[in-house]
C-alpha cells in the first residue's frame, strides 16, 4: 500500500515534542494553532494511530508516538541537512570546482580570477590542473575536471565551447636582432630563417606552429634548435641570444621579457580562440559558473596589458615593440610596471 508521506505534518509532530506545546510549536512553524492541530490529526489519520495524549494544558506521547518518534527523528534531520546543503550549493555558499587550463591562461588569468572569487565566495574550493590542450579535452571527457579554459582546435560534438577572447602567437627575439629591421608585419616565414626555441610537442603553440609551417609555408622546420617545456625557459634562452621563440600573446604580461622584443604574427593561422570548454551533456555547477564570471572580469582587466592583435593582411610600418623601452602612442598598449625578478613556475603551453 502506497503511503502519502508529507514533510510538513512530520515537522509539526517533531516540533510538538521538542516544545511540549501545540501553541509554541504552531508559532515556530508559522501557522495558527487550529491549522497546527489539523496537521497532527492528518498525520494520525494517515498512520491509523493516535500519537499524542492531549489535555487542555499538556501533551504527551502515546506508546505508538514514542515508537514513531524514535524512527523518524534522524531521517528528518538528515533530510533537512541535505536540503540545507543543496541550498548552500545553489547560493554558492560552499562547493568545489575543478578546472583545467592551458599554462598561458593559468599564468595570466587564473590568479586574478581565483583571488576575486575568494572575496565574493570565500568558502569555495578551487583545484586547477595545468595541461596541454589535448590532455584537457581528455580530462573533460573522463570527468576529471568540470570545465577547461583552453583553445578549440576543431569542433567536438560532445563538448560546448564558449569563446572568451581571441589570442595569437608572437615572435620573441632579443633587442638588436635582425627581425627588428623588418619594415612590415612579421609572419611564420620570417621566423623560420633563424634558430628556433619552441615549446615541446603536445603544446597547443607547437601544434599550431607545425601545422602552419607544413600547410601554409610548405617548409620543413629545419631551423629548430631547442625544444623546451616551459615558456619562462624559452624567454630566458632568447635573452641569451640562442634563437627566436614563438609564444602565446596571452602569457606575455606575466613573463620576464626584459631586453626582448615581442611582435604578434600576422598570419591567420597564428590566431586562436581561448574559451570555456565543458561537456555538452552536463550542466555547470553554480561554483563553476561563479568562477567563469570572475575569469571574464579578469580577462577584461588583463586585455589592457596585451599587445594589440595585428590585422590579417600585411602592412608597412614598425614591426616590433621593444619591451625595454617605454611604450608611446595611442596604438601601443600600456606597458606594465617592471617588477623585480622573481622565481617563476616555469609555465608550459
Amino acid at each position: 500500500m502506497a503511503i502519502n508521506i508529507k514533510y510538513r505534518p512530520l515537522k509539526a509532530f517533531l516540533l510538538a515534542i521538542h516544545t511540549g506545546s501545540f501553541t509554541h510549536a504552531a508559532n515556530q512553524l508559522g501557522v495558527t494553532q487550529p491549522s497546527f492541530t489539523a496537521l497532527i490529526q492528518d498525520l494520525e489519520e494517515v498512520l491509523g494511530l493516535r500519537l499524542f495524549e492531549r489535555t487542555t494544558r499538556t501533551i504527551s506521547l502515546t506508546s505508538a508516538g514514542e515508537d514513531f518518534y524514535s524512527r523518524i527523528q534522524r531521517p528528518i534531520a538528515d533530510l533537512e541537512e541535505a536540503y540545507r546543503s543543496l541550498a548552500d550549493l545553489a547560493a554558492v555558499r560552499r562547493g568545489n570546482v575543478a578546472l583545467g587550463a592551458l599554462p598561458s591562461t593559468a599564468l595570466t588569468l587564473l590568479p586574478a580570477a581565483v583571488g576575486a572569487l575568494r572575496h565574493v565566495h570565500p568558502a569555495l574550493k578551487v583545484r586547477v590542473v595545468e595541461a596541454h590542450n589535448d590532455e584537457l579535452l581528455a580530462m573533460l571527457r573522463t570527468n576529471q575536471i568540470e570545465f577547461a579554459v583552453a583553445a578549440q582546435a576543431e569542433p567536438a560534438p560532445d563538448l560546448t565551447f564558449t569563446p572568451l577572447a581571441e589570442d595569437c602567437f608572437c615572435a620573441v627575439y632579443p633587442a638588436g636582432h635582425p627581425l627588428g629591421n623588418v619594415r612590415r608585419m612579421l609572419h611564420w616565414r620570417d621566423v623560420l630563417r633563424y634558430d628556433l626555441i619552441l615549446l615541446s610537442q603536445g603544446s597547443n603553440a607547437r601544434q599550431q606552429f607545425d601545422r602552419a609551417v607544413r600547410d601554409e609555408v610548405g617548409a620543413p622546420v629545419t631551423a629548430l634548435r631547442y625544444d623546451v617545456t616551459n615558456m619562462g625557459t624559452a624567454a630566458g634562452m632568447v635573452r641569451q641570444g640562442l634563437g627566436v621563440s614563438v609564444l602565446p600573446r596571452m602569457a606575455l604580461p606575466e613573463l620576464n621579457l626584459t631586453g626582448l622584443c615581442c611582435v604578434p604574427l600576422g598570419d591567420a593561422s597564428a590566431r586562436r580562440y581561448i574559451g570555456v570548454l565543458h561537456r555538452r551533456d552536463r550542466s555547470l555547477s553554480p561554483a563553476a559558473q561563479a568562477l567563469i564570471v570572475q575569469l571574464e572580469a579578469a580577462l577584461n582587466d588583463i586585455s589592457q596589458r596585451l599587445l594589440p592583435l595585428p590585422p590579417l593582411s600585411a602592412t608597412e610600418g614598425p614591426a616590433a615593440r621593444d619591451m625595454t623601452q617605454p611604450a608611446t602612442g595611442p596604438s601601443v598598449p600600456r606597458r606594465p610596471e617592471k617588477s623585480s625578478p622573481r622565481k617563476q613556475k616555469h609555465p608550459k603551453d
Side-chain angles (χ1 to χ4, degrees):
M1 179 182 68
I3 300 177
N4 184 15
I5 301 175
K6 298 179 180 179
Y7 168 76
R8 199 166 177 80
L10 295 175
K11 185 64 177 177
F13 172 72
L14 293 174
L15 286 174
I17 296 170
H18 296 160
T19 63
S21 164
F22 277 18
T23 301
H24 294 158
N27 289 335
Q28 287 196 17
L29 196 60
V31 299
T32 63
Q33 185 170 338
S35 297
F36 186 89
T37 300
L39 288 172
I40 298 298
Q41 291 173 343
D42 288 345
L43 181 60
E44 291 177 330
E45 289 178 8
V46 169
L47 296 174
L49 292 167
R50 190 175 181 82
L51 300 174
F52 290 100
E53 297 289 355
R54 297 187 288 273
T55 69
T56 56
R57 292 179 178 271
T58 63
I59 61 172
S60 60
L61 286 171
T62 64
S63 59
E66 291 178 351
D67 182 69
F68 188 58
Y69 175 68
S70 67
R71 292 174 182 271
I72 72 165
Q73 183 181 18
R74 181 61 181 271
I76 293 299
D78 290 344
L79 179 64
E80 290 175 342
E81 174 58 29
Y83 270 80
R84 283 192 295 269
S85 178
L86 289 178
D88 286 344
L89 285 176
V92 204
R93 288 188 290 267
R94 70 171 188 87
N96 300 282
V97 56
L99 73 147
L102 290 174
S104 58
T105 61
L107 181 67
T108 307
L109 294 179
L110 263 297
V114 175
L117 183 74
R118 183 173 181 177
H119 286 291
V120 181
H121 304 291
L124 291 185
K125 296 180 180 179
V126 179
R127 181 171 69 91
V128 180
V129 180
E130 297 182 42
H132 293 323
N133 215 71
D134 291 346
E135 295 169 330
L136 294 175
L137 300 186
M139 285 188 281
L140 273 177
R141 293 184 169 111
T142 54
N143 294 323
Q144 297 178 61
I145 54 177
E146 187 172 357
F147 72 92
V149 184
Q152 187 183 39
E154 55 188 25
D158 60 328
L159 301 176
T160 295
F161 180 74
T162 304
L164 291 176
E166 187 175 11
D167 194 24
C168 72
F169 292 96
C170 301
V172 180
Y173 54 89
H177 191 277
L179 278 176
N181 298 325
V182 177
R183 305 303 294 176
R184 56 172 172 74
M185 185 182 302
L186 292 182
H187 296 275
W188 294 119
R189 62 178 178 270
D190 297 309
V191 301
L192 286 174
R193 300 172 183 173
Y194 304 96
D195 289 345
L196 296 178
I197 304 165
L198 298 180
L199 298 179
S200 60
Q201 292 287 348
S203 67
N204 182 251
R206 182 63 174 273
Q207 290 174 342
Q208 202 152 339
F209 176 87
D210 289 347
R211 188 183 307 117
V213 170
R214 182 186 67 244
D215 297 343
E216 297 186 22
V217 182
V221 189
T222 54
L224 176 61
R225 289 290 301 272
Y226 303 100
D227 190 302
V228 302
T229 303
N230 303 297
M231 290 181 284
T233 303
M237 294 177 73
V238 172
R239 189 176 297 107
Q240 293 299 317
L242 298 175
V244 174
S245 189
V246 177
L247 298 176
R249 180 184 71 129
M250 187 74 71
L252 298 183
E254 296 301 323
L255 294 176
N256 178 9
L257 299 175
T258 303
L260 303 182
C261 298
C262 305
V263 184
L265 297 175
D267 304 88
S269 57
R271 299 287 181 94
R272 64 176 181 176
Y273 277 97
I274 299 296
V276 172
L277 281 155
H278 68 92
R279 285 181 51 159
R280 190 177 297 275
D281 61 348
R282 292 181 178 270
S283 299
L284 289 172
S285 68
Q289 294 177 41
L291 180 53
I292 291 171
V293 169
Q294 299 303 330
L295 282 168
E296 292 171 343
L299 184 59
N300 288 334
D301 292 339
I302 203 69
S303 64
Q304 303 302 315
R305 299 167 56 198
L306 296 176
L307 293 170
L309 286 170
L312 292 178
S313 58
T315 57
E316 297 295 323
R321 165 185 159 193
D322 187 341
M323 301 298 289
T324 66
Q325 300 297 324
T328 58
S331 63
V332 181
R334 178 178 58 83
R335 175 173 154 238
E337 295 181 1
K338 293 183 181 179
S339 58
S340 58
R342 60 186 183 274
K343 185 177 180 181
Q344 299 186 15
K345 293 184 178 179
H346 296 294
K348 58 185 179 178
D349 203 348

